[in-house]
Amino acid sequence: MGDVPLRFRARVRHEPDRSYAVLVEGPEGEVQVGVTRSTREVRTLAREGAARLFDVPTDRIAERHLDVEIPQPPYGRDGQWVRIVSAGASTAADDLADLGVAGQAHWFGHEGAWFVTVAGSGTAIHPSEHLDFAPVLTAAEVAELRSYLARSAPPPS
């Protein structure tokens, strides 16, 4: 067992199939430690990978000492229209309420996810895998969303 750093660094690489490759900075440089289709699993893969790279038990890699960078995916851009297509494993009514609904997405790098504003229900955080970034929207959906966004925009200063 070598020197174990005080902070552990990991980053996510967006793969062409929309999966997430998790890379951890180890003693010999950056190493890919796993791939997942769920952003919920990214931190777990990073912790487990760091433990393997530094040859320590996973519990030695404290969550508060793990920095994970998730860059904005190449298939999404701020302000674009999206459709919410999944609630993941959640069965909570508030997570299911907007399923199938169109919204406007903005990248929230701190969470590694998107702020999605939906007409009527407001803004919520959604991981990339829950969104369709090339939705076919009806004229009514676009009009409703534009109207909602115009009403909720802050007044000009």
Side-chain angles (χ1 to χ4, degrees), residues 16-151:
D17 68 354
R18 290 187 56 181
S19 62
Y20 310 99
V22 179
L23 300 101
V24 173
E25 187 66 37
E28 304 298 321
E30 189 176 66
V31 175
Q32 181 174 318
V33 296
V35 176
T36 181
R37 290 196 159 287
S38 171
T39 54
R40 290 181 191 257
E41 296 174 2
V42 164
R43 293 188 76 77
T44 300
L45 280 174
R47 280 185 76 219
E48 291 170 353
R52 283 192 312 272
L53 291 174
F54 289 97
D55 194 27
V56 297
T58 305
D59 62 0
R60 286 272 317 270
I61 313 296
E63 184 68 30
R64 69 182 181 277
H65 295 240
L66 178 63
D67 297 325
V68 179
E69 175 193 343
I70 304 177
Q72 183 171 337
Y75 47 79
R77 66 185 191 288
D78 278 345
Q80 82 174 83
W81 301 136
V82 297
R83 187 174 304 280
I84 300 168
V85 294
S86 175
S90 177
T91 57
D94 56 338
D95 289 339
L96 299 174
D98 290 333
L99 199 55
V101 177
Q104 184 181 42
H106 291 278
W107 182 246
F108 186 44
H110 178 72
E111 291 291 328
W114 298 88
F115 272 142
V116 179
T117 302
V118 172
S121 63
T123 302
I125 297 175
H126 294 275
S128 295
E129 65 266 22
H130 292 184
L131 303 173
D132 174 2
F133 288 89
V136 175
L137 303 182
T138 66
E141 286 177 313
V142 171
E144 180 184 23
L145 192 50
R146 284 190 172 139
S147 174
Y148 181 81
L149 291 168
R151 287 191 313 270

